[in-house]
Every structure is written in structure tokens, then in C-alpha cells.
Amino acid sequence: MKQLRIGVLAGLFVVAGVLSWAAARLWDSFGTLPSVPLAAPIVLAAIAAVLTATALSLRARFKAQRERRPEAKGVDPLMAARAVVFGQASALVAALVSGIYGGAGVFLLGSLDIPARRDQAVYAGFSVVAGIAVIAAAFFLERVCKLPEGPDDGNDKNGTAPAGPV
């Protein structure tokens, strides 16, 4: 499984933001701009909370296993992999959604004197912050579930597997 890369997420955020800003300018010239829903930052914050809770739970279970506590529950590897995939998918979607709301928010900064647009800009800003929280939680979950690298992982310094007996 490939790890998340911050460059991919940042690129997705920037591209979505620029396209959203341009679309907001175009849409506003034709009529009313669609509103940023109040639920957007709430949903993103809830996803960040779920990812963080999952990571904390798995981290505690892994620690209990390493310390060989008698009451330790095992962690199903498939469940841990599913959690990481959920985190990665959430991070990608959060980068896209945060970019969209960020672009709309930047456009709305030009008209903060209108109360409705000021509220929309605040919702967009909170959505970006909550999206960043989702991405941070996804990286934390990925770090918790990463297998430790040991001396017997089968790779030498060149990244190639050692040759077996011939």
C-alpha cells in the first residue's frame, strides 16, 4: 500500500482552489453564487474526529500487544488496512473539498461588507481548517498503522531483495 504524499494533497488543494475561484467569479457574473453550507465544516470535523479516534484506539491496542498484556485485544490486519484506506480516501476528498471551499472563500473575501457573503466566507474558512484536520488525522492514522522496519524485512541498502540459494 502506498503512503500518502503531502505534495499530491497540496497539488490537489491548489488546483481545486484555483478552479473554484475561477468558477465562483464566472458564476457570480451570471447571477447569485451558491452558498457554502453550514454543514460542510461540521461534517469534515466529524470525519477528522472519527479518524483520530480510530488512530488512538489502534495505537492503544498495538501498544498493549507489544507489552504483551493479558487483556490485550488483537488487531486484525485487514481491519487496520481498511482503516488506513479510509484515512487515505478521506484525506484525498478533504484536500479536494478544502480546495473548493478555499477558492470560494478567497473569492468571497472581496465582498466582506455584505453580511451574507461574510458568513459564507467564515463557513468556507472553517471548512478549510476542518479539511486540514482530516488530512492531519489521516497521516496520524497511517503512521499508527505503519509496520515497523526491522533488520529482517528482506531488503538491502539498494532496495533490492537479497538473492536466495541457487
Side-chain angles (χ1 to χ4, degrees), residues 12-47:
L12 188 59
F13 175 83
V14 169
V15 169
V18 169
L19 291 175
S20 174
W21 173 79
R25 285 189 61 178
L26 181 65
W27 198 313
D28 190 53
S29 68
F30 288 123
T32 60
L33 189 64
S35 64
V36 177
L38 175 61
I42 295 169
V43 170
L44 287 169
I47 293 170

PDB file of all heavy atoms in Angstrom, residues 12-47:
ATOM      1  N   LEU A  12      -3.525  18.896  -5.234  1.00  0.00           N
ATOM      2  CA  LEU A  12      -4.971  18.758  -5.400  1.00  0.00           C
ATOM      3  C   LEU A  12      -5.698  19.943  -4.784  1.00  0.00           C
ATOM      4  O   LEU A  12      -6.632  20.489  -5.383  1.00  0.00           O
ATOM      5  CB  LEU A  12      -5.435  17.444  -4.756  1.00  0.00           C
ATOM      6  CG  LEU A  12      -6.867  17.009  -4.970  1.00  0.00           C
ATOM      7  CD1 LEU A  12      -7.165  16.839  -6.457  1.00  0.00           C
ATOM      8  CD2 LEU A  12      -7.124  15.704  -4.244  1.00  0.00           C
ATOM      9  N   PHE A  13      -5.248  20.369  -3.614  1.00  0.00           N
ATOM     10  CA  PHE A  13      -5.843  21.527  -2.946  1.00  0.00           C
ATOM     11  C   PHE A  13      -5.701  22.792  -3.799  1.00  0.00           C
ATOM     12  O   PHE A  13      -6.667  23.529  -3.995  1.00  0.00           O
ATOM     13  CB  PHE A  13      -5.188  21.730  -1.577  1.00  0.00           C
ATOM     14  CG  PHE A  13      -5.637  22.957  -0.848  1.00  0.00           C
ATOM     15  CD1 PHE A  13      -6.807  22.944  -0.121  1.00  0.00           C
ATOM     16  CD2 PHE A  13      -4.896  24.125  -0.896  1.00  0.00           C
ATOM     17  CE1 PHE A  13      -7.239  24.080   0.556  1.00  0.00           C
ATOM     18  CE2 PHE A  13      -5.311  25.264  -0.228  1.00  0.00           C
ATOM     19  CZ  PHE A  13      -6.482  25.246   0.501  1.00  0.00           C
ATOM     20  N   VAL A  14      -4.511  23.035  -4.310  1.00  0.00           N
ATOM     21  CA  VAL A  14      -4.255  24.254  -5.083  1.00  0.00           C
ATOM     22  C   VAL A  14      -5.041  24.252  -6.395  1.00  0.00           C
ATOM     23  O   VAL A  14      -5.674  25.254  -6.755  1.00  0.00           O
ATOM     24  CB  VAL A  14      -2.739  24.429  -5.338  1.00  0.00           C
ATOM     25  CG1 VAL A  14      -2.465  25.513  -6.351  1.00  0.00           C
ATOM     26  CG2 VAL A  14      -2.028  24.727  -4.025  1.00  0.00           C
ATOM     27  N   VAL A  15      -5.026  23.143  -7.111  1.00  0.00           N
ATOM     28  CA  VAL A  15      -5.746  23.070  -8.387  1.00  0.00           C
ATOM     29  C   VAL A  15      -7.247  23.256  -8.159  1.00  0.00           C
ATOM     30  O   VAL A  15      -7.907  24.024  -8.876  1.00  0.00           O
ATOM     31  CB  VAL A  15      -5.447  21.741  -9.113  1.00  0.00           C
ATOM     32  CG1 VAL A  15      -6.384  21.524 -10.284  1.00  0.00           C
ATOM     33  CG2 VAL A  15      -3.998  21.723  -9.590  1.00  0.00           C
ATOM     34  N   ALA A  16      -7.787  22.579  -7.157  1.00  0.00           N
ATOM     35  CA  ALA A  16      -9.219  22.724  -6.862  1.00  0.00           C
ATOM     36  C   ALA A  16      -9.533  24.150  -6.425  1.00  0.00           C
ATOM     37  O   ALA A  16     -10.579  24.700  -6.793  1.00  0.00           O
ATOM     38  CB  ALA A  16      -9.640  21.734  -5.781  1.00  0.00           C
ATOM     39  N   GLY A  17      -8.637  24.766  -5.663  1.00  0.00           N
ATOM     40  CA  GLY A  17      -8.850  26.138  -5.220  1.00  0.00           C
ATOM     41  C   GLY A  17      -8.863  27.130  -6.359  1.00  0.00           C
ATOM     42  O   GLY A  17      -9.729  28.011  -6.429  1.00  0.00           O
ATOM     43  N   VAL A  18      -7.917  26.994  -7.267  1.00  0.00           N
ATOM     44  CA  VAL A  18      -7.855  27.909  -8.407  1.00  0.00           C
ATOM     45  C   VAL A  18      -9.077  27.735  -9.308  1.00  0.00           C
ATOM     46  O   VAL A  18      -9.696  28.717  -9.738  1.00  0.00           O
ATOM     47  CB  VAL A  18      -6.542  27.703  -9.203  1.00  0.00           C
ATOM     48  CG1 VAL A  18      -6.568  28.432 -10.527  1.00  0.00           C
ATOM     49  CG2 VAL A  18      -5.350  28.154  -8.361  1.00  0.00           C
ATOM     50  N   LEU A  19      -9.441  26.490  -9.581  1.00  0.00           N
ATOM     51  CA  LEU A  19     -10.621  26.241 -10.414  1.00  0.00           C
ATOM     52  C   LEU A  19     -11.896  26.738  -9.730  1.00  0.00           C
ATOM     53  O   LEU A  19     -12.782  27.293 -10.390  1.00  0.00           O
ATOM     54  CB  LEU A  19     -10.740  24.756 -10.759  1.00  0.00           C
ATOM     55  CG  LEU A  19      -9.679  24.205 -11.714  1.00  0.00           C
ATOM     56  CD1 LEU A  19      -9.842  22.702 -11.865  1.00  0.00           C
ATOM     57  CD2 LEU A  19      -9.750  24.899 -13.057  1.00  0.00           C
ATOM     58  N   SER A  20     -11.991  26.554  -8.430  1.00  0.00           N
ATOM     59  CA  SER A  20     -13.160  27.018  -7.689  1.00  0.00           C
ATOM     60  C   SER A  20     -13.238  28.538  -7.679  1.00  0.00           C
ATOM     61  O   SER A  20     -14.317  29.117  -7.823  1.00  0.00           O
ATOM     62  CB  SER A  20     -13.114  26.486  -6.264  1.00  0.00           C
ATOM     63  OG  SER A  20     -14.149  27.021  -5.498  1.00  0.00           O
ATOM     64  N   TRP A  21     -12.116  29.196  -7.497  1.00  0.00           N
ATOM     65  CA  TRP A  21     -12.085  30.657  -7.513  1.00  0.00           C
ATOM     66  C   TRP A  21     -12.533  31.182  -8.875  1.00  0.00           C
ATOM     67  O   TRP A  21     -13.347  32.096  -8.957  1.00  0.00           O
ATOM     68  CB  TRP A  21     -10.679  31.146  -7.178  1.00  0.00           C
ATOM     69  CG  TRP A  21     -10.498  32.620  -7.328  1.00  0.00           C
ATOM     70  CD1 TRP A  21     -10.888  33.588  -6.444  1.00  0.00           C
ATOM     71  CD2 TRP A  21      -9.904  33.289  -8.437  1.00  0.00           C
ATOM     72  NE1 TRP A  21     -10.561  34.815  -6.938  1.00  0.00           N
ATOM     73  CE2 TRP A  21      -9.959  34.664  -8.167  1.00  0.00           C
ATOM     74  CE3 TRP A  21      -9.338  32.862  -9.628  1.00  0.00           C
ATOM     75  CZ2 TRP A  21      -9.465  35.609  -9.042  1.00  0.00           C
ATOM     76  CZ3 TRP A  21      -8.850  33.794 -10.498  1.00  0.00           C
ATOM     77  CH2 TRP A  21      -8.912  35.161 -10.210  1.00  0.00           C
ATOM     78  N   ALA A  22     -12.020  30.573  -9.948  1.00  0.00           N
ATOM     79  CA  ALA A  22     -12.407  30.998 -11.294  1.00  0.00           C
ATOM     80  C   ALA A  22     -13.891  30.723 -11.550  1.00  0.00           C
ATOM     81  O   ALA A  22     -14.600  31.560 -12.130  1.00  0.00           O
ATOM     82  CB  ALA A  22     -11.543  30.286 -12.335  1.00  0.00           C
ATOM     83  N   ALA A  23     -14.370  29.573 -11.103  1.00  0.00           N
ATOM     84  CA  ALA A  23     -15.786  29.243 -11.282  1.00  0.00           C
ATOM     85  C   ALA A  23     -16.667  30.185 -10.472  1.00  0.00           C
ATOM     86  O   ALA A  23     -17.745  30.584 -10.940  1.00  0.00           O
ATOM     87  CB  ALA A  23     -16.040  27.792 -10.880  1.00  0.00           C
ATOM     88  N   ALA A  24     -16.228  30.562  -9.277  1.00  0.00           N
ATOM     89  CA  ALA A  24     -17.007  31.494  -8.460  1.00  0.00           C
ATOM     90  C   ALA A  24     -17.087  32.863  -9.125  1.00  0.00           C
ATOM     91  O   ALA A  24     -18.158  33.503  -9.124  1.00  0.00           O
ATOM     92  CB  ALA A  24     -16.394  31.609  -7.065  1.00  0.00           C
ATOM     93  N   ARG A  25     -15.994  33.311  -9.710  1.00  0.00           N
ATOM     94  CA  ARG A  25     -16.023  34.597 -10.429  1.00  0.00           C
ATOM     95  C   ARG A  25     -16.977  34.538 -11.606  1.00  0.00           C
ATOM     96  O   ARG A  25     -17.766  35.461 -11.825  1.00  0.00           O
ATOM     97  CB  ARG A  25     -14.625  34.954 -10.932  1.00  0.00           C
ATOM     98  CG  ARG A  25     -13.706  35.446  -9.856  1.00  0.00           C
ATOM     99  CD  ARG A  25     -12.449  35.980 -10.422  1.00  0.00           C
ATOM    100  NE  ARG A  25     -12.787  37.122 -11.294  1.00  0.00           N
ATOM    101  CZ  ARG A  25     -11.907  37.843 -11.931  1.00  0.00           C
ATOM    102  NH1 ARG A  25     -10.641  37.565 -11.825  1.00  0.00           N
ATOM    103  NH2 ARG A  25     -12.277  38.850 -12.690  1.00  0.00           N
ATOM    104  N   LEU A  26     -16.901  33.455 -12.356  1.00  0.00           N
ATOM    105  CA  LEU A  26     -17.766  33.302 -13.519  1.00  0.00           C
ATOM    106  C   LEU A  26     -19.228  33.198 -13.096  1.00  0.00           C
ATOM    107  O   LEU A  26     -20.100  33.861 -13.667  1.00  0.00           O
ATOM    108  CB  LEU A  26     -17.344  32.068 -14.320  1.00  0.00           C
ATOM    109  CG  LEU A  26     -18.130  31.766 -15.590  1.00  0.00           C
ATOM    110  CD1 LEU A  26     -17.920  32.887 -16.602  1.00  0.00           C
ATOM    111  CD2 LEU A  26     -17.707  30.435 -16.163  1.00  0.00           C
ATOM    112  N   TRP A  27     -19.503  32.385 -12.102  1.00  0.00           N
ATOM    113  CA  TRP A  27     -20.871  32.170 -11.646  1.00  0.00           C
ATOM    114  C   TRP A  27     -21.462  33.465 -11.090  1.00  0.00           C
ATOM    115  O   TRP A  27     -22.627  33.789 -11.323  1.00  0.00           O
ATOM    116  CB  TRP A  27     -20.897  31.095 -10.567  1.00  0.00           C
ATOM    117  CG  TRP A  27     -22.254  30.487 -10.317  1.00  0.00           C
ATOM    118  CD1 TRP A  27     -23.429  31.146 -10.160  1.00  0.00           C
ATOM    119  CD2 TRP A  27     -22.550  29.115 -10.197  1.00  0.00           C
ATOM    120  NE1 TRP A  27     -24.442  30.267  -9.934  1.00  0.00           N
ATOM    121  CE2 TRP A  27     -23.922  29.003  -9.952  1.00  0.00           C
ATOM    122  CE3 TRP A  27     -21.785  27.961 -10.252  1.00  0.00           C
ATOM    123  CZ2 TRP A  27     -24.563  27.788  -9.764  1.00  0.00           C
ATOM    124  CZ3 TRP A  27     -22.423  26.761 -10.069  1.00  0.00           C
ATOM    125  CH2 TRP A  27     -23.799  26.669  -9.838  1.00  0.00           C
ATOM    126  N   ASP A  28     -20.656  34.230 -10.357  1.00  0.00           N
ATOM    127  CA  ASP A  28     -21.144  35.477  -9.774  1.00  0.00           C
ATOM    128  C   ASP A  28     -21.466  36.509 -10.851  1.00  0.00           C
ATOM    129  O   ASP A  28     -22.365  37.320 -10.674  1.00  0.00           O
ATOM    130  CB  ASP A  28     -20.112  36.036  -8.799  1.00  0.00           C
ATOM    131  CG  ASP A  28     -20.654  37.187  -7.986  1.00  0.00           C
ATOM    132  OD1 ASP A  28     -21.724  37.005  -7.359  1.00  0.00           O
ATOM    133  OD2 ASP A  28     -20.030  38.262  -7.974  1.00  0.00           O
ATOM    134  N   SER A  29     -20.764  36.465 -11.960  1.00  0.00           N
ATOM    135  CA  SER A  29     -21.050  37.420 -13.033  1.00  0.00           C
ATOM    136  C   SER A  29     -22.376  37.112 -13.727  1.00  0.00           C
ATOM    137  O   SER A  29     -22.981  37.994 -14.324  1.00  0.00           O
ATOM    138  CB  SER A  29     -19.912  37.434 -14.057  1.00  0.00           C
ATOM    139  OG  SER A  29     -19.876  36.204 -14.761  1.00  0.00           O
ATOM    140  N   PHE A  30     -22.845  35.871 -13.642  1.00  0.00           N
ATOM    141  CA  PHE A  30     -24.117  35.489 -14.257  1.00  0.00           C
ATOM    142  C   PHE A  30     -25.301  35.564 -13.304  1.00  0.00           C
ATOM    143  O   PHE A  30     -26.441  35.516 -13.734  1.00  0.00           O
ATOM    144  CB  PHE A  30     -24.045  34.071 -14.832  1.00  0.00           C
ATOM    145  CG  PHE A  30     -23.207  33.974 -16.061  1.00  0.00           C
ATOM    146  CD1 PHE A  30     -22.128  33.099 -16.093  1.00  0.00           C
ATOM    147  CD2 PHE A  30     -23.461  34.738 -17.178  1.00  0.00           C
ATOM    148  CE1 PHE A  30     -21.333  32.997 -17.216  1.00  0.00           C
ATOM    149  CE2 PHE A  30     -22.678  34.648 -18.307  1.00  0.00           C
ATOM    150  CZ  PHE A  30     -21.611  33.771 -18.333  1.00  0.00           C
ATOM    151  N   GLY A  31     -25.056  35.605 -12.029  1.00  0.00           N
ATOM    152  CA  GLY A  31     -26.161  35.609 -11.064  1.00  0.00           C
ATOM    153  C   GLY A  31     -25.661  35.410  -9.654  1.00  0.00           C
ATOM    154  O   GLY A  31     -24.580  35.862  -9.299  1.00  0.00           O
ATOM    155  N   THR A  32     -26.443  34.724  -8.869  1.00  0.00           N
ATOM    156  CA  THR A  32     -26.076  34.525  -7.471  1.00  0.00           C
ATOM    157  C   THR A  32     -25.153  33.323  -7.309  1.00  0.00           C
ATOM    158  O   THR A  32     -25.335  32.297  -7.959  1.00  0.00           O
ATOM    159  CB  THR A  32     -27.333  34.308  -6.610  1.00  0.00           C
ATOM    160  OG1 THR A  32     -28.018  33.148  -7.082  1.00  0.00           O
ATOM    161  CG2 THR A  32     -28.253  35.511  -6.669  1.00  0.00           C
ATOM    162  N   LEU A  33     -24.221  33.482  -6.434  1.00  0.00           N
ATOM    163  CA  LEU A  33     -23.240  32.436  -6.135  1.00  0.00           C
ATOM    164  C   LEU A  33     -23.877  31.405  -5.200  1.00  0.00           C
ATOM    165  O   LEU A  33     -24.573  31.787  -4.253  1.00  0.00           O
ATOM    166  CB  LEU A  33     -22.026  33.073  -5.465  1.00  0.00           C
ATOM    167  CG  LEU A  33     -20.796  32.237  -5.246  1.00  0.00           C
ATOM    168  CD1 LEU A  33     -20.198  31.819  -6.587  1.00  0.00           C
ATOM    169  CD2 LEU A  33     -19.765  33.013  -4.460  1.00  0.00           C
ATOM    170  N   PRO A  34     -23.687  30.101  -5.443  1.00  0.00           N
ATOM    171  CA  PRO A  34     -24.216  29.115  -4.490  1.00  0.00           C
ATOM    172  C   PRO A  34     -23.565  29.302  -3.121  1.00  0.00           C
ATOM    173  O   PRO A  34     -22.404  29.683  -3.026  1.00  0.00           O
ATOM    174  CB  PRO A  34     -23.859  27.764  -5.088  1.00  0.00           C
ATOM    175  CG  PRO A  34     -23.227  28.023  -6.386  1.00  0.00           C
ATOM    176  CD  PRO A  34     -22.999  29.483  -6.549  1.00  0.00           C
ATOM    177  N   SER A  35     -24.311  29.003  -2.079  1.00  0.00           N
ATOM    178  CA  SER A  35     -23.796  29.226  -0.730  1.00  0.00           C
ATOM    179  C   SER A  35     -22.943  28.051  -0.255  1.00  0.00           C
ATOM    180  O   SER A  35     -23.090  26.928  -0.720  1.00  0.00           O
ATOM    181  CB  SER A  35     -24.953  29.462   0.239  1.00  0.00           C
ATOM    182  OG  SER A  35     -25.741  28.300   0.326  1.00  0.00           O
ATOM    183  N   VAL A  36     -22.080  28.363   0.688  1.00  0.00           N
ATOM    184  CA  VAL A  36     -21.285  27.342   1.359  1.00  0.00           C
ATOM    185  C   VAL A  36     -22.152  26.817   2.505  1.00  0.00           C
ATOM    186  O   VAL A  36     -22.568  27.589   3.363  1.00  0.00           O
ATOM    187  CB  VAL A  36     -19.965  27.927   1.907  1.00  0.00           C
ATOM    188  CG1 VAL A  36     -19.192  26.878   2.672  1.00  0.00           C
ATOM    189  CG2 VAL A  36     -19.138  28.511   0.780  1.00  0.00           C
ATOM    190  N   PRO A  37     -22.444  25.529   2.523  1.00  0.00           N
ATOM    191  CA  PRO A  37     -23.338  25.027   3.576  1.00  0.00           C
ATOM    192  C   PRO A  37     -22.685  25.053   4.956  1.00  0.00           C
ATOM    193  O   PRO A  37     -21.481  24.826   5.092  1.00  0.00           O
ATOM    194  CB  PRO A  37     -23.634  23.591   3.140  1.00  0.00           C
ATOM    195  CG  PRO A  37     -22.543  23.230   2.211  1.00  0.00           C
ATOM    196  CD  PRO A  37     -22.038  24.494   1.588  1.00  0.00           C
ATOM    197  N   LEU A  38     -23.490  25.332   5.955  1.00  0.00           N
ATOM    198  CA  LEU A  38     -23.004  25.328   7.333  1.00  0.00           C
ATOM    199  C   LEU A  38     -22.547  23.936   7.741  1.00  0.00           C
ATOM    200  O   LEU A  38     -21.650  23.776   8.567  1.00  0.00           O
ATOM    201  CB  LEU A  38     -24.116  25.815   8.272  1.00  0.00           C
ATOM    202  CG  LEU A  38     -23.837  25.768   9.760  1.00  0.00           C
ATOM    203  CD1 LEU A  38     -22.635  26.646  10.107  1.00  0.00           C
ATOM    204  CD2 LEU A  38     -25.046  26.202  10.544  1.00  0.00           C
ATOM    205  N   ALA A  39     -23.113  22.926   7.130  1.00  0.00           N
ATOM    206  CA  ALA A  39     -22.774  21.544   7.478  1.00  0.00           C
ATOM    207  C   ALA A  39     -21.387  21.129   6.985  1.00  0.00           C
ATOM    208  O   ALA A  39     -20.834  20.144   7.488  1.00  0.00           O
ATOM    209  CB  ALA A  39     -23.816  20.591   6.905  1.00  0.00           C
ATOM    210  N   ALA A  40     -20.822  21.838   6.024  1.00  0.00           N
ATOM    211  CA  ALA A  40     -19.530  21.434   5.452  1.00  0.00           C
ATOM    212  C   ALA A  40     -18.427  21.331   6.506  1.00  0.00           C
ATOM    213  O   ALA A  40     -17.778  20.281   6.621  1.00  0.00           O
ATOM    214  CB  ALA A  40     -19.129  22.383   4.325  1.00  0.00           C
ATOM    215  N   PRO A  41     -18.177  22.374   7.310  1.00  0.00           N
ATOM    216  CA  PRO A  41     -17.113  22.208   8.310  1.00  0.00           C
ATOM    217  C   PRO A  41     -17.486  21.209   9.399  1.00  0.00           C
ATOM    218  O   PRO A  41     -16.609  20.537   9.946  1.00  0.00           O
ATOM    219  CB  PRO A  41     -16.937  23.617   8.888  1.00  0.00           C
ATOM    220  CG  PRO A  41     -18.166  24.351   8.558  1.00  0.00           C
ATOM    221  CD  PRO A  41     -18.713  23.736   7.301  1.00  0.00           C
ATOM    222  N   ILE A  42     -18.778  21.073   9.679  1.00  0.00           N
ATOM    223  CA  ILE A  42     -19.207  20.128  10.718  1.00  0.00           C
ATOM    224  C   ILE A  42     -18.934  18.693  10.274  1.00  0.00           C
ATOM    225  O   ILE A  42     -18.409  17.877  11.042  1.00  0.00           O
ATOM    226  CB  ILE A  42     -20.699  20.348  11.051  1.00  0.00           C
ATOM    227  CG1 ILE A  42     -20.882  21.732  11.673  1.00  0.00           C
ATOM    228  CG2 ILE A  42     -21.218  19.263  11.971  1.00  0.00           C
ATOM    229  CD1 ILE A  42     -22.323  22.167  11.812  1.00  0.00           C
ATOM    230  N   VAL A  43     -19.271  18.379   9.033  1.00  0.00           N
ATOM    231  CA  VAL A  43     -19.042  17.021   8.519  1.00  0.00           C
ATOM    232  C   VAL A  43     -17.549  16.715   8.443  1.00  0.00           C
ATOM    233  O   VAL A  43     -17.101  15.632   8.832  1.00  0.00           O
ATOM    234  CB  VAL A  43     -19.726  16.841   7.144  1.00  0.00           C
ATOM    235  CG1 VAL A  43     -19.298  15.551   6.480  1.00  0.00           C
ATOM    236  CG2 VAL A  43     -21.235  16.894   7.296  1.00  0.00           C
ATOM    237  N   LEU A  44     -16.764  17.673   7.958  1.00  0.00           N
ATOM    238  CA  LEU A  44     -15.318  17.452   7.888  1.00  0.00           C
ATOM    239  C   LEU A  44     -14.713  17.267   9.284  1.00  0.00           C
ATOM    240  O   LEU A  44     -13.844  16.411   9.486  1.00  0.00           O
ATOM    241  CB  LEU A  44     -14.641  18.605   7.150  1.00  0.00           C
ATOM    242  CG  LEU A  44     -14.870  18.642   5.639  1.00  0.00           C
ATOM    243  CD1 LEU A  44     -14.378  19.959   5.059  1.00  0.00           C
ATOM    244  CD2 LEU A  44     -14.185  17.476   4.967  1.00  0.00           C
ATOM    245  N   ALA A  45     -15.179  18.051  10.246  1.00  0.00           N
ATOM    246  CA  ALA A  45     -14.679  17.900  11.617  1.00  0.00           C
ATOM    247  C   ALA A  45     -15.081  16.540  12.193  1.00  0.00           C
ATOM    248  O   ALA A  45     -14.293  15.917  12.922  1.00  0.00           O
ATOM    249  CB  ALA A  45     -15.204  19.029  12.494  1.00  0.00           C
ATOM    250  N   ALA A  46     -16.272  16.070  11.856  1.00  0.00           N
ATOM    251  CA  ALA A  46     -16.704  14.752  12.336  1.00  0.00           C
ATOM    252  C   ALA A  46     -15.831  13.644  11.742  1.00  0.00           C
ATOM    253  O   ALA A  46     -15.458  12.697  12.448  1.00  0.00           O
ATOM    254  CB  ALA A  46     -18.171  14.513  11.988  1.00  0.00           C
ATOM    255  N   ILE A  47     -15.491  13.762  10.469  1.00  0.00           N
ATOM    256  CA  ILE A  47     -14.609  12.773   9.842  1.00  0.00           C
ATOM    257  C   ILE A  47     -13.231  12.803  10.503  1.00  0.00           C
ATOM    258  O   ILE A  47     -12.633  11.760  10.774  1.00  0.00           O
ATOM    259  CB  ILE A  47     -14.520  13.004   8.323  1.00  0.00           C
ATOM    260  CG1 ILE A  47     -15.869  12.711   7.668  1.00  0.00           C
ATOM    261  CG2 ILE A  47     -13.429  12.141   7.694  1.00  0.00           C
ATOM    262  CD1 ILE A  47     -15.961  13.135   6.218  1.00  0.00           C
TER     263      ILE A  47
END
